[in-house]
Amino acid sequence: MFSAISHPKRLHIITLIAEKSMSVTSIANEMGCEPPCTSQHLRILKAIDIVECKREGHEMLYCLKHKCILNAINCIIKGCEIYGE
């Protein structure tokens, strides 16, 4: 799980969809990334049960399945800042 969420693009995705559900295209546009690349990262996050998707009309919207993951990520970031990593 930690290796999956440690990728900078996946961390960025997590922070984006923590605020609101988003489509692959919206996430890709926010990140300045191509949708196929974004889909790959979302697939990894979904496989480790952090992200879920739901259909809304013709779009699939992605959101965080467990909001508590943000607390864990913030703790790790703070720990790295404290120890100069």
Side-chain angles (χ1 to χ4, degrees), residues 37-71:
C37 176
T38 303
S39 290
Q40 277 188 308
H41 289 299
L42 284 165
R43 197 172 307 119
I44 291 167
L45 292 172
K46 193 174 174 194
I48 61 170
D49 210 30
I50 289 177
V51 169
E52 63 184 349
C53 60
K54 56 187 174 186
R55 182 171 296 281
E56 205 169 282
H58 293 292
E59 285 189 315
M60 293 298 284
L61 298 178
Y62 291 84
C63 63
L64 283 184
K65 189 168 183 178
H66 308 285
K67 300 280 185 189
C68 61
I69 192 69
L70 292 173
N71 293 335

Side-chain angles (χ1 to χ4, degrees), residues 68-79:
C68 61
I69 192 69
L70 292 173
N71 293 335
I73 290 169
N74 287 331
C75 285
I76 292 167
I77 290 169
K78 281 208 182 281

Side-chain angles (χ1 to χ4, degrees), residues 2-57:
F2 288 114
S3 64
I5 64 172
S6 67
H7 192 285
K9 288 194 186 288
R10 290 193 280 273
L11 282 173
H12 192 185
I13 289 171
I14 289 169
T15 59
L16 286 173
I17 63 174
E19 297 172 17
K20 62 181 179 179
S21 297
M22 298 175 76
S23 68
V24 172
T25 305
S26 298
I27 296 168
N29 289 339
E30 287 283 328
M31 293 177 45
C33 192
E34 293 296 318
C37 176
T38 303
S39 290
Q40 277 188 308
H41 289 299
L42 284 165
R43 197 172 307 119
I44 291 167
L45 292 172
K46 193 174 174 194
I48 61 170
D49 210 30
I50 289 177
V51 169
E52 63 184 349
C53 60
K54 56 187 174 186
R55 182 171 296 281
E56 205 169 282

